[in-house]
Amino acid sequence: MLKMKNISKVFRTEVVETHALREFNLHVQEGDFVSVTGPSGSGKTTFLNIAGLLETYSSGRYLLDGKDVSNLNDTARSKLRNEKIGFIFQSFNLIPDLNLFDNVDVPLRYRGFNKTERKERIEHSLALVGLSNRMKHLPAQLSGGQQQRVAIARALAGEPRFLLADEPTGNLDSKMAFSVMELLQEINSKGTTIVMVTHDPELAQQAKRNIYVRDGKVSELTDNSGSSEYQEVVNG
Amino acid sequence: MLGTLEMGPIIRSLTRNKTGAVLIALQIAVTMAIVLNAVFIIGERNDLIARVSGVDEANSFQISSTGFASDFNHMQTLEQDLLDIRAIPGVVAVTTINAIPTSGSGWSMSLQTESGENKTDVGTAVYMVDQNGIEALSVELIAGSNFSENEIRYRDGNQEGWPQNIIITKALANDMFPELDYAEVVGKTVYINYTEPMQIIGIIDQLQAPWIGWNKLENAMLSPEHIASGDFSRYFVRTEPGMRDDIMLQVEELLAKRANERLVEGLRSFEEVRERSYSRHEAMIQILFVVMITLVSITGKGIVGLASFNVNRRRKQIGTRRALGASKAQIIRYFMVENFLITTFGIVLGMAMTMGLNMTLVSVFELGRMNLMYLPLGAICFWLLGQLAVFGPAIKAASTPPALATRTV
């Protein structure tokens, strides 16, 4: 599903060169649920941005769903992002002026679905996260946990193969965090691949696998599921 | 297609954040109302200025002489002046004249087709000229004949009675005899001062009256007279093309040779006369133009300002949209569509305000009623203005990196 080989990312200013990722290798298989942990500044967010095609990389090779994304232009990257990847952000990133229906509708419009199909998908995905009765509400009228559920609905509406979650429970209390985590596991159980960046070791353990990033590299891999594919994940 | 334009969400979003959008829409509406009415007024003024006087404007000038010496012989001076001016190489024709077309000052009378009081009359400007008047004014005699030299009379300012023959403009002929072709008007008798008969011996194509605001501007008649009032005479001279300015100086020098007997003044090209007459219109056009440019520029900057503010305020949102799959073109389109909707609201409001302002101008200042075609043309211009103004901020918005979505600060 996601295969990174020797990915490096260097941020350059006039005086400083920062290596955010160095020779980063990772292979995430279809249906996997991988958590990414590591200290602040270790390169987790850079990895997430590159994995989600939000940022380009300096060198290496990245295959997303078998497609080499190295030479894609901005429009092609946007299209691929829209079709293949669902995003869940720490601070939900819902559009405050739009109600839940319109928020979930945002990526579907970019996808070019017709009105009927969009409506079906929105209603289905909001029902999936238990918010079908609040479609006309604005994000500000919901709790943090509910807002994150809307963000999950938005990420799922386009039926992506791959879900990227950036600290999805970072702004939630433990009860809500647990509920969101349950939802993510349920989604994963239906076959969607998930990569989740988190600071929380407890949450990380709930994923099938955990990678620990330090100094821009994968330094440890933990298999929480006892899968035999462990070595392949380690070695890429 | 409409789905990708995001019209619905944009409208719903605007209704939840109306203040900025409503203010810009109002600004567009007010600007549109003022600008369209200004354009209309400028158009009307330009039409006035563009009217043809009938005179060879580029090659004509006037000069006047007022005798003050006790033994000043006006008639003799006038005849000699005409001879001397005519003798200057490059002079095509010269005539005495009592008033200058479009100058603002002149003589008007009423003509009737029937004798007697309480009959229908038609107003006309009166130009007292000699047999060279037609050539000097460069008007075309399209029917009938010119005055003969021996029918030109000297008219004392207080003298009563009018010459037997007159020449009139085609417009005046049509005004007095609407049922006849202008050529058939030659030979007709008309009455001045209710009962004094005059015969129309010729029709000229066009000659404007002195008063540019008069609704009978094209009504003029030529009367075969040298006005000889108060030792004053005015000469109207037509020159060969390109020689006017030289001849103006020569004529002034010629008349000034007898400066101890008379005052020579009023040397003015016809173009200058016309320019002075229309100066208020020109000034009005310039003022309106400045007002228009200022308003349009302020409105354009207002749109840029609002759009820039929205881009800066929504950077995180734009980054999120980009992360969710919006291409740069889709982000640009979002802002263009948003601006189009705000502008459209302003334009609809502006159309009503434009007509309201025009009706006020019609009733208070007696301006003409605006052609409704101004509204769609204005709408197109303001849509374009809006789209141009928002394009820069939209480009800036599109350059927002999608990675901004994952930044928490």
Side-chain angles (χ1 to χ4, degrees), chain B residues 279-298:
Chain B
S279 61
R280 282 197 315 169
H281 294 299
E282 295 278 8
M284 170 74 90
I285 287 171
Q286 283 172 13
I287 290 167
L288 288 175
F289 198 71
V290 169
V291 168
M292 276 167 50
I293 296 291
T294 308
L295 276 175
V296 168
S297 146
I298 289 172

Side-chain angles (χ1 to χ4, degrees), chain A residues 45 48-49 54-55 74 78 81-82 87 89-90 93 95 97-99 102 106-107 109-110 118 138 154 166, chain B residues 2-4 6 9 12-13 16-17 316-317 320-328 330 402-403 405-406 408:
Chain A
T45 302
L48 185 99
N49 286 344
L54 303 178
E55 228 168 81
D74 189 82
S78 298
R81 241 181 351 249
N82 182 251
F87 286 96
F89 304 102
Q90 181 179 355
N93 291 19
I95 295 167
D97 301 330
L98 299 181
N99 63 29
D102 285 336
V106 170
R109 283 179 184 265
Y110 298 138
R118 291 201 323 267
L138 290 173
R154 179 177 67 186
D166 179 21
Chain B
L2 283 175
T4 56
E6 300 183 76
R12 289 191 283 279
S13 177
R16 291 184 186 113
N17 274 297
K316 180 88 173 180
Q317 184 190 128
T320 302
R321 284 178 182 275
R322 293 278 286 126
L324 295 177
S327 64
K328 287 183 175 178
Q330 282 166 325
T406 56
T408 47

Side-chain angles (χ1 to χ4, degrees), chain A residues 72-139:
Chain A
L72 296 180
N73 64 22
D74 189 82
T75 307
R77 293 167 72 85
S78 298
K79 189 167 187 291
L80 203 57
R81 241 181 351 249
N82 182 251
E83 289 174 0
K84 304 257 185 206
I85 307 170
F87 286 96
I88 302 165
F89 304 102
Q90 181 179 355
S91 43
F92 327 133
N93 291 19
L94 297 176
I95 295 167
D97 301 330
L98 299 181
N99 63 29
L100 306 196
F101 186 96
D102 285 336
N103 259 292
V104 178
D105 196 17
V106 170
L108 303 182
R109 283 179 184 265
Y110 298 138
R111 187 86 164 262
F113 289 134
N114 65 37
K115 191 177 176 181
T116 314
E117 183 160 10
R118 291 201 323 267
K119 187 169 181 287
E120 276 172 17
R121 282 171 179 266
I122 294 163
E123 286 171 354
H124 178 256
S125 59
L126 279 172
L128 199 71
V129 299
L131 288 169
S132 52
N133 58 338
R134 311 196 73 169
M135 280 192 280
K136 297 296 168 192
H137 284 65
L138 290 173

Side-chain angles (χ1 to χ4, degrees), chain A:
Chain A
M1 182 72 226
L2 178 157
K3 198 167 190 178
M4 288 184 173
K5 190 88 178 165
N6 297 328
I7 292 289
S8 294
K9 176 69 181 178
V10 184
F11 293 103
R12 289 188 177 87
T13 65
E14 282 178 13
V15 287
V16 183
E17 209 173 67
T18 308
H19 292 261
L21 291 184
R22 300 163 190 263
E23 307 291 316
F24 192 97
N25 291 298
L26 183 66
H27 182 192
V28 177
Q29 292 180 326
E30 181 119 31
D32 215 341
F33 189 164
V34 178
S35 61
V36 181
T37 54
S40 293
S42 58
K44 300 189 299 293
T45 302
T46 305
F47 155 71
L48 185 99
N49 286 344
I50 290 171
L53 307 178
L54 303 178
E55 228 168 81
T56 54
Y57 44 91
S58 308
S59 64
R61 192 156 183 250
Y62 173 25
L63 299 176
L64 177 63
D65 202 17
K67 185 177 177 114
D68 191 338
V69 301
S70 308
N71 298 315
L72 296 180
N73 64 22
D74 189 82
T75 307
R77 293 167 72 85
S78 298
K79 189 167 187 291
L80 203 57
R81 241 181 351 249
N82 182 251
E83 289 174 0
K84 304 257 185 206
I85 307 170
F87 286 96
I88 302 165
F89 304 102
Q90 181 179 355
S91 43
F92 327 133
N93 291 19
L94 297 176
I95 295 167
D97 301 330
L98 299 181
N99 63 29
L100 306 196
F101 186 96
D102 285 336
N103 259 292
V104 178
D105 196 17
V106 170
L108 303 182
R109 283 179 184 265
Y110 298 138
R111 187 86 164 262
F113 289 134
N114 65 37
K115 191 177 176 181
T116 314
E117 183 160 10
R118 291 201 323 267
K119 187 169 181 287
E120 276 172 17
R121 282 171 179 266
I122 294 163
E123 286 171 354
H124 178 256
S125 59
L126 279 172
L128 199 71
V129 299
L131 288 169
S132 52
N133 58 338
R134 311 196 73 169
M135 280 192 280
K136 297 296 168 192
H137 284 65
L138 290 173
Q141 295 170 306
L142 305 181
S143 68
Q146 286 171 323
Q147 288 188 46
Q148 193 59 297
R149 282 173 175 272
V150 178
I152 293 170
R154 179 177 67 186
L156 293 175
E159 292 176 359
R161 305 273 307 278
F162 178 35
L163 211 57
L164 274 175
D166 179 21
E167 303 271 11
T169 58
N171 283 357
L172 303 178
D173 61 36
S174 56
K175 191 179 167 195
M176 284 183 180
F178 179 75
S179 135
V180 166
M181 204 53 209
E182 265 190 342
L183 183 58
L184 289 179
Q185 281 173 324
E186 188 187 330
I187 292 161
N188 176 245
S189 70
K190 289 175 184 168
T192 306
T193 310
I194 299 177
V195 172
M196 175 182 73
V197 168
T198 181
H199 270 107
D200 188 336
E202 271 188 49
L203 282 181
Q205 280 183 351
Q206 292 181 45
K208 289 177 184 167
R209 310 173 203 287
N210 173 236
I211 64 166
Y212 189 80
V213 180
R214 180 179 289 156
D215 299 331
K217 283 185 171 177
V218 178
S219 72
E220 278 181 58
L221 265 159
T222 313
D223 182 4
N224 303 322
S225 65
S227 167
S228 58
E229 292 161 1
Y230 175 76
Q231 278 309 312
E232 192 184 351
V233 176
V234 174
N235 298 323

Side-chain angles (χ1 to χ4, degrees), chain B residues 64 104 130 139 178 186 230 243 254 276 283 352 365 369 380 406:
Chain B
S64 58
D130 61 23
V139 291
V186 176
M243 297 184 72
L254 175 77
R276 283 185 178 207
F365 298 106
R369 197 169 287 279
I380 290 168
T406 56

Side-chain angles (χ1 to χ4, degrees), chain B residues 210-407:
Chain B
W211 315 282
I212 56 170
W214 191 34
N215 62 355
K216 297 287 185 185
L217 182 65
E218 303 296 331
N219 285 4
M221 73 175 225
L222 304 182
S223 176
E225 302 173 89
H226 290 304
I227 183 86
S229 168
D231 291 339
F232 172 85
S233 48
R234 179 184 283 122
Y235 304 109
F236 191 85
V237 185
R238 182 175 157 221
T239 70
E240 296 285 357
M243 297 184 72
R244 183 195 67 193
D245 292 349
D246 283 346
I247 292 174
M248 280 173 78
L249 294 175
Q250 289 180 53
V251 170
E252 188 179 34
E253 273 178 33
L254 175 77
L255 300 189
K257 279 181 185 166
R258 289 168 60 196
N260 56 337
E261 295 176 58
R262 63 170 164 188
L263 180 68
V264 176
E265 58 185 347
L267 178 65
R268 219 166 273 152
S269 69
F270 186 86
E271 286 174 333
E272 192 184 342
V273 170
R274 186 188 173 96
E275 201 177 299
R276 283 185 178 207
S277 294
Y278 285 104
S279 61
R280 282 197 315 169
H281 294 299
E282 295 278 8
M284 170 74 90
I285 287 171
Q286 283 172 13
I287 290 167
L288 288 175
F289 198 71
V290 169
V291 168
M292 276 167 50
I293 296 291
T294 308
L295 276 175
V296 168
S297 146
I298 289 172
T299 302
K301 283 177 182 158
I303 295 169
V304 172
L306 178 72
S308 299
F309 173 72
N310 279 338
V311 168
N312 290 332
R313 188 173 61 91
R314 293 188 278 189
R315 268 176 67 76
K316 180 88 173 180
Q317 184 190 128
I318 298 162
T320 302
R321 284 178 182 275
R322 293 278 286 126
L324 295 177
S327 64
K328 287 183 175 178
Q330 282 166 325
I331 295 294
I332 291 171
R333 194 169 59 198
Y334 180 92
F335 281 91
M336 305 287 261
V337 170
E338 183 182 68
N339 173 272
F340 178 82
L341 292 170
I342 295 171
T343 311
T344 301
F345 178 55
I347 285 170
V348 171
L349 209 60
M351 284 183 171
M353 287 170 77
T354 301
M355 292 317 294
L357 181 59
N358 182 243
M359 280 191 269
T360 308
L361 292 173
V362 168
S363 62
V364 178
F365 298 106
E366 295 180 351
L367 290 185
R369 197 169 287 279
M370 182 186 284
N371 186 330
L372 289 178
M373 277 308 289
Y374 277 80
L375 297 178
L377 291 176
I380 290 168
C381 290
F382 276 88
W383 270 317
L384 283 175
L385 172 74
Q387 295 293 292
L388 279 175
V390 84
F391 192 66
I395 294 277
K396 189 183 165 198
S399 68
T400 304
L404 200 70
T406 56
R407 286 183 206 154

